Amino acid sequence: MPDVKPAMRVIYIPILLLFTAFLLLPLGILFVRSFETSEGFNLANYLSILSNKELLESIGNSIKISSLTAVITTVLAFSLAYSIHCTRIYRPLKSAIKTGILVPMLLPTITFGFAIIYSFGNQGIITKIFGRNLFDIYGFNGLLIGYVIYTLPSAFLLINNSFKYIDKKFMVVSKLMGDGTIRSFMNTIVRPLLGTLGGAFVLSFILSFTDFGIPASVGGTYTVVATQLYQVMLGSIPDFNNGATIAVLMLIPVVFGVLLLNYLEKLNFHYDKFSDIELSQHKGRDLCFGMVSLLVLIGMLSVFAVMFIAPFLNSYPYDLSFTLKHFIDTFQSSDLIAVYKNSLFVAILTAVFGTLIAFCSAVLNVRTPLKWKSSIDVISMLTNTVPGMVLGLSYLLLFNGSSWKGTFTIIVLCNIVHFFTTPYLMAKNSLSKMNPGWETTGELLGDNWIKTVYRVILPNSASTVIEMFSYYFINSMVTISGIIFLVTAQTSLVASKIKELQHFAKFNEIFILSLLIFFTNLIVKLLCDHYQKRQFKH
């Protein structure tokens, strides 16, 4: 049998070097810089920040609002998933939930804030409908709405996926044994999902805690740690050492969150066999969950409705006559079109190379006997832990004086590393389910290992590869936290341009650029879903 290890090493070593250079080294530099002062290396930066009342308040604010967001999101995501799997609500409504919930994932988070302003502000659509301001949108309230909308799709996908592995037969058995409604619900639904519910809470907390886009648009005077870091780094006098210290402190709650996430996974249990039985009709339950689901869906989508209306009006809310003037002006602006092309270019490069790196990493881990392959799992856990803003800042510190600064290469590499975990886990799960004997069969037929991967394993993973591509592309189009420190005038992307347009109150341009991102992501998602379905048929 030929030695296939050299071929494996040829793939493994570049991947290891890539993550050493673009994950471990930047984070190492960030950590070192956090101890650097004019008098050498000491704890002065940490002592200065921990005695800064405003900064401590912003960290407290971030923890408070992220925790509340996580509670609300987990409850709502559970209700929606329960409605789909454990009720007999109107079938088209179930389909509407599954589709509608994905809308926020196709938009940059910075757009959420402007949509909230145009919906709930003094002249907002929802304010006009109710005839008065429902609440003050700047600060805590605006952030809470934005964060819940942002984290709900991810939490829902996690819980919805776990619901597929719950055996509904136990619900019937529990009822037959005389269990009350609450006891039956706790034992047959909540208990098997405990790990997933905890996971959804932690995920929502981390996403809210590390997001920059929403506080950048509706944060107001309610300071959070992400906006503090931005101000320290991109204020009138950038303070690299204090910025590095804040970034390191940002990592602490996130690291705890990821460790808790891994622990909670142990609480999940799956049944060896599960039967998908049709539940009995219960009008009260179905009506209640149907109403809740409809309200959540309408509430979420109504916030974005303004984005599809305002750009078509002459001057919302003062002149409501229809016009295409704003679109014509935007498409004639070479500056705005160049920014959109930049985003498209970065997203395609990230998706192609990111998918290749994540797939090769998963193949090495799951389907080779390499000694150090478990190091890829460690890398995956690290990339899952580091917030985009912290990673972007570490790149800025590392490449500040080099020719790489302000290049598309750095932005693409940052995106590849930042979003690595999910595509890698997708590929890993898919490859671990395949026949473990394919490589041996290939060798016996005279194929080398790389040929077997290319001719057998890759075609059988095609639907997963398409899903990985879609994930990388969409996230690269919408990210702002990861790239806000890396873009320049030449490499400006749509998400960073929106931040710039905010200062000039150019909301029509903001919404038109957001619509461009939305429809681009929607087309890519639909195409990828179409090709995935074709793969399943084959």
Side-chain angles (χ1 to χ4, degrees), residues 390-466:
V390 173
L391 190 65
L393 176 57
S394 67
Y395 276 37
L396 179 67
L397 296 175
L398 179 61
F399 299 107
N400 198 26
S402 75
S403 58
W404 285 53
K405 186 191 173 187
T407 61
F408 284 120
T409 309
I410 281 299
I411 296 171
V412 169
L413 283 164
C414 182
N415 282 343
I416 288 171
V417 172
H418 181 197
F419 301 119
F420 174 76
T421 308
T422 302
Y424 166 71
L425 292 176
M426 283 177 190
K428 195 178 160 188
N429 292 338
S430 169
L431 292 166
S432 59
K433 291 185 180 111
M434 289 179 192
N435 187 330
W438 281 344
E439 288 87 344
T440 313
T441 309
E443 281 171 18
L444 292 171
L445 292 169
D447 281 353
N448 61 32
W449 175 73
I450 288 179
K451 217 177 233 181
T452 305
V453 169
Y454 179 71
R455 284 168 55 171
V456 181
I457 292 171
L458 186 59
N460 280 282
S461 320
S463 70
T464 304
V465 170
I466 292 165

Side-chain angles (χ1 to χ4, degrees), residues 324-344:
L324 288 173
K325 168 173 73 102
H326 305 303
F327 280 89
I328 293 162
D329 290 349
T330 302
F331 287 114
Q332 282 177 346
S333 161
S334 55
D335 179 34
L336 295 180
I337 292 302
V339 167
Y340 172 69
K341 284 178 181 170
N342 287 352
S343 280
L344 213 51

